[in-house]
Amino acid sequence: MSYSLGNLLSESLKNKGIKQSQFAEIIGVDPSFLSRVLRGDKPIPLASLDKSIYILNLDEDECYSLYLEECFAQRKKGLSLITKYIVHCVEEGKNGHADNALGMILETGGLLSAVFSVGEELFQKGLKQESIQFFHAIVTHENDRRSSLLAMSYYRILLTHYETNSDKSEEAAHKLSEYLDYVPDDEILEAHYKVVSTYRIKHKWEYVLVYGKKLVRLAKEMDRLDYVGDALIKMAIAAREMGNLKLALKYHKMCLEIPIGNYSRWAEGNILITLIAFEQKDKVIELFNFCERNKDLAYEYLEVLISSAVKYNFFDLVERIFVEFSEQIAYLESIKGKHSIYDRHLINFTHAKALYHLKIGNLLWIQEAFLAATMAIRIKLHKQALSSLKLVLGNADKSSSHYNKALNLIDEIDC
């Protein structure tokens, strides 16, 4: 290369009359190392390059372009340097340089592993939104449909949206489901679980059963009873929601037999929920008693407990729920925004509170209904949002600001 980054730095040092030993100390490298950088034998650390650009008043675009060209010139040696370069650019907000490097990688071809490495490093550093473009680049350019890079990229996209956007999470789960078999063994069970959980949140019950069965089979093969139990819980819910009591109870009873963790207790509570769903209202009191005996798990059952108590007008029981489980209610409210599963619990609990206050003539119902709706809109649980908004529309004065607010929010959902 006729003109290198080393040449540029050497010339600038001479022009400014700065000694190499002095400059090495300023940018935090050994003088002998700096000599090798200036000769083109060693790449300069990116942090030192940034300091050099600032101190010598150099053009950042030119310096970064020369650095990147040198990385590509030694393709095999420079692959890890290219990865570090892009990560550095993203972390420092130099998105134009990162995009340029990504474009060069894709144009060169055969370097998708480097693209994945960038995305994975950003993902593991918690920069999930920043990592997405690199995973999208892989799913766009990877021609091998059995590639683990392709499967893992879809999985990382799902994980990025999993806690914050149920619509995008569902879209990613649908894509990933085609490639689940190619996810590496150390992540394959969790990948299946996330797909099942996503479909459960979006009420896609047929998919919950299909991929739940796959998860049970794989988990048994890998001797992971925890994943067997998790899958059975989701599958029982799916069967219940599809109106199949016999199948739901079958999965509950299989879960009841799992000898680890809380699975037998969860199954005990979930059996009661299923029976309540099939109009056995006497089981509401049994669920209350179960929650009293298992207060560490009670927050997971509160939404069903209060909604069924309100449904059957067990108003005294509702008041007992507020008193007996005040700590569990506070805990559920404290973890709002941490995960869409817990948010769903809180949304349904809040909607039930709204219905309760409406039934007893307490104006707090309007506040609770809007709270449930806005929480649901935030994580795109449109069915739950519409349920609370329709409660307002069906009971508020049509000339009131509450009625108009509900209409406007429904318009936002439809858009």
Side-chain angles (χ1 to χ4, degrees):
M1 187 179 291
S2 58
Y3 193 71
S4 67
L5 183 57
N7 296 147
L8 179 62
L9 293 174
S10 294
E11 289 179 6
S12 185
L13 288 174
K14 289 176 184 177
N15 292 337
K16 294 185 178 296
I18 301 175
K19 294 181 179 180
Q20 287 186 23
S21 58
Q22 179 188 5
F23 188 67
E25 182 178 355
I26 293 171
I27 65 171
V29 299
D30 188 81
S32 61
F33 181 84
L34 178 60
S35 295
R36 299 177 71 185
V37 168
L38 298 179
R39 291 198 304 269
D41 297 334
K42 279 283 186 182
I44 186 172
L46 286 163
S48 297
L49 176 58
D50 287 340
K51 289 179 182 178
S52 301
I53 292 170
Y54 176 75
I55 293 164
L56 300 175
N57 195 28
L58 299 173
D59 182 88
E60 181 181 271
D61 289 346
E62 181 180 13
C63 291
Y64 270 59
S65 295
L66 288 171
Y67 181 92
L68 190 57
E69 286 174 14
E70 291 175 16
C71 290
F72 273 94
Q74 353 172 20
R75 176 167 164 170
K76 289 186 179 179
K77 283 185 180 179
L79 203 54
S80 64
L81 292 176
I82 295 171
T83 300
K84 291 177 182 177
Y85 170 85
I86 299 177
V87 170
H88 174 81
C89 289
V90 173
E91 289 181 317
E92 296 298 318
K94 304 178 189 297
N95 297 321
H97 295 303
D99 292 343
N100 182 50
L102 176 61
M104 290 176 69
I105 288 177
L106 297 175
E107 187 177 335
T108 301
L111 299 177
L112 287 181
S113 61
V115 177
F116 182 82
S117 294
V118 171
E120 184 69 358
E121 185 169 346
L122 293 171
F123 183 90
Q124 296 300 337
K125 287 184 172 184
L127 299 172
K128 293 183 179 180
Q129 292 298 329
E130 291 81 357
S131 72
I132 277 190
Q133 67 166 318
F134 301 97
F135 296 127
H136 275 304
I138 290 172
V139 302
T140 302
H141 293 85
E142 176 59 87
N143 295 319
D144 182 1
R145 299 290 95 181
R146 297 184 177 185
S147 164
S148 63
L149 291 183
L150 180 62
M152 284 300 293
S153 294
Y154 277 126
Y155 181 35
R156 293 299 187 242
I157 292 170
L158 169 58
L159 289 180
T160 298
H161 297 306
Y162 184 69
E163 297 180 357
T164 57
N165 190 315
S166 63
D167 284 346
K168 289 186 177 180
S169 179
E170 181 187 5
E171 181 182 343
H174 193 64
K175 292 285 187 181
L176 173 61
S177 61
E178 300 177 43
Y179 304 99
L180 276 170
D181 292 342
Y182 308 113
V183 174
D185 285 349
D186 61 335
E187 300 212 46
I188 194 167
L189 291 178
E190 187 64 16
H192 276 77
Y193 176 72
K194 286 296 192 294
V195 167
V196 172
S197 295
T198 298
Y199 285 136
R200 184 261 176 274
I201 290 170
K202 298 298 287 184
H203 298 178
K204 298 301 172 66
W205 306 122
E206 297 88 350
Y207 290 126
V208 171
L209 291 178
V210 169
Y211 293 102
K213 289 175 184 176
K214 283 191 65 178
L215 177 54
V216 168
R217 177 179 57 78
L218 282 171
K220 285 182 176 179
E221 289 174 1
M222 300 175 75
D223 196 26
R224 289 295 302 273
L225 291 180
D226 51 342
Y227 280 103
V228 174
D230 291 341
L232 289 172
I233 290 171
K234 300 293 190 297
M235 292 162 68
I237 293 170
R240 181 180 74 218
E241 294 298 321
M242 295 170 73
N244 192 331
L245 175 60
K246 183 178 178 180
L247 186 60
L249 291 177
K250 172 187 172 182
Y251 291 139
H252 285 318
K253 289 173 182 177
M254 289 171 66
C255 189
L256 196 63
E257 296 171 0
I258 293 178
I260 64 170
N262 291 317
Y263 292 102
S264 61
R265 289 200 294 158
W266 281 326
E268 182 185 352
N270 290 336
I271 287 171
L272 294 172
I273 287 175
T274 293
L275 295 175
I276 290 169
F278 282 85
E279 305 299 330
Q280 296 190 28
K281 65 180 181 179
D282 58 304
K283 300 300 179 183
V284 177
I285 299 298
E286 289 188 38
L287 182 60
F288 179 90
N289 294 334
F290 168 83
C291 289
E292 275 194 312
R293 296 193 307 271
N294 299 274
K295 285 200 170 180
D296 58 321
L297 303 180
Y299 72 96
E300 299 182 40
Y301 296 89
L302 289 176
E303 62 168 288
V304 175
L305 183 57
I306 189 172
S307 62
S308 55
V310 172
K311 176 181 178 181
Y312 294 114
N313 296 327
F314 296 161
F315 295 153
D316 289 344
L317 185 62
V318 174
E319 291 298 327
R320 288 179 65 192
I321 291 169
F322 290 146
V323 174
E324 189 67 30
F325 303 108
S326 58
E327 290 184 11
Q328 289 72 25
I329 294 169
Y331 175 72
L332 194 57
E333 291 171 342
S334 74
I335 57 176
K336 181 173 69 174
K338 297 288 181 65
H339 197 288
S340 56
I341 290 176
Y342 300 126
D343 284 352
R344 180 178 51 77
H345 286 317
L346 183 57
I347 290 164
N348 292 338
F349 181 80
T350 306
H351 177 82
K353 283 171 63 181
L355 189 56
Y356 168 66
H357 287 302
L358 176 64
K359 282 190 171 185
I360 65 172
N362 189 328
L363 290 177
L364 278 175
W365 75 269
I366 295 178
Q367 176 184 324
E368 298 286 0
F370 277 122
L371 181 58
T374 52
M375 283 192 291
I377 290 170
R378 181 179 60 80
I379 57 175
K380 298 188 182 301
L381 293 178
H382 295 158
K383 182 178 179 181
Q384 285 87 336
L386 288 172
S387 179
S388 294
L389 293 173
K390 286 178 180 178
L391 185 65
V392 175
L393 294 177
N395 294 279
D397 188 318
K398 290 186 178 181
S399 63
S400 69
S401 60
H402 301 304
Y403 190 90
N404 290 327
K405 180 181 177 180
L407 283 177
N408 291 333
L409 287 174
I410 286 179
D411 287 341
E412 286 183 25
I413 294 172
D414 292 339
C415 291

